[in-house]
Amino acid sequence: RIADGLSDAERARLAGFDDDPFAQWDALQGMARALLVEAASPGRTLDAARLAQLLPAIDASARAASSSNPAFAALLLHLPTLGDLIQDVRDADPDHIQAQRVALRQAVASRLEDMLVPLAERSSPDRSGGRGFDPSAAAAGRRSLRTAAMSLLSALGGRHEALLARAFETAPTMTESLGALTALSAIESEAFDRALREYVRRWAFRH
C-alpha cells in the first residue's frame, strides 16, 4: 500500500472532485482505514472530528454513484475488513477493532438510511419485467448495491429486520438469498434462524 501523506481533508476533496472511480474509492478507504486504525488502540474510540469528515464524503460519493454506477456505489459502501485492519495494528485486539468497525458501520448506515432503505426494498433485477435471471453487468451491479444496502442496514440492529426478512423470502436467486441471509445474521434474531433453515431447504440439493 502506498503512503500518500494526504490528510483527511485532502482525501475528502479528492473523493468529491476526482472523476476517476478508483481515486474516489481509494480516498474514502484511506479515510476509513485511518479512522479505524487510530481507534484500534486500547481505550480509544472513533475520533469525532475524523468521523465528521468521512461521513459526508461517503454520503456524497455513494448517492452520486447509486443511479449511474450501482456496482461502484456498492464498493463505496464496503468498509475495510477486520483482516485488513489487523495488518496495520501492532498488538491488535480483534474484539476491540471489530467493535470500532461495527460502530463505524452504524454511523454510515444512519447517515445513509434514507437512501439504503429504498435500495433494499427495490425488487430484485431478476423479478423486474418477469424476464428471469439477468446475467448482464448492469443487473449484477444493481444486485451488488442492493446487497450492500441490506448489509449496512443490518448494522442498525432490528430496526429493519422485517425488510431484510422479506428480501430473503422473495429472493429469486441463491446469491440474493445469501445476501439477505448474511444481513440477517448480523441481527442474530429468530428471523435469521428461520431464514437459515429455509436457505438450506431451498438450495442444499441444487448445487
Side-chain angles (χ1 to χ4, degrees):
R1 196 159 45 246
I2 298 174
D4 55 26
L6 296 177
S7 67
D8 283 347
E10 290 169 328
R11 288 194 176 102
R13 286 196 294 273
L14 184 63
F17 294 105
D18 200 307
D19 59 3
D20 177 56
F22 177 78
Q24 290 184 44
W25 173 84
D26 189 57
L28 293 172
Q29 286 288 301
M31 292 175 72
R33 182 185 297 276
L35 173 63
L36 288 167
V37 167
E38 182 182 67
S41 300
R44 299 291 294 271
T45 57
L46 299 177
D47 181 79
R50 297 190 103 162
L51 182 62
Q53 289 187 310
L54 174 63
L55 292 180
I58 291 180
D59 187 322
S61 293
R63 288 181 194 274
S66 62
S67 57
S68 61
N69 192 343
F72 176 53
L75 289 176
L76 293 176
L77 298 180
H78 288 288
L79 299 174
T81 67
L82 177 61
D84 291 335
L85 295 166
I86 284 178
Q87 298 178 46
D88 292 337
V89 179
R90 180 175 295 180
D91 299 325
D93 178 348
D95 290 338
H96 179 66
I97 296 173
Q98 180 62 7
Q100 300 313 305
R101 186 174 180 275
V102 168
L104 180 54
R105 277 172 48 84
Q106 290 171 342
V108 173
S110 295
R111 172 83 185 207
L112 295 173
E113 190 172 8
D114 66 309
M115 181 189 86
L116 299 174
V117 169
L119 288 172
E121 289 177 334
R122 186 176 298 170
S123 295
S124 162
D126 301 309
R127 287 190 178 277
S128 302
R131 295 185 299 271
F133 179 72
D134 184 350
S136 69
R142 292 192 295 272
R143 284 191 291 268
S144 293
L145 180 55
R146 186 170 185 241
T147 298
M150 290 190 291
S151 176
L152 267 182
L153 287 174
S154 71
L156 299 177
R159 186 184 306 177
H160 298 291
E161 180 182 299
L163 186 163
L164 299 177
R166 284 196 305 274
F168 174 81
E169 292 163 2
T170 59
T173 67
M174 186 177 185
T175 298
E176 290 170 281
S177 293
L178 183 59
L181 180 67
T182 301
L184 284 169
S185 72
I187 300 176
E188 299 182 346
S189 67
E190 291 185 4
F192 167 70
D193 295 334
R194 291 193 298 269
L196 180 59
R197 290 192 294 269
E198 174 59 18
Y199 182 86
V200 172
R201 187 199 68 78
R202 189 187 304 177
W203 301 109
F205 301 108
R206 296 194 181 190
H207 298 274

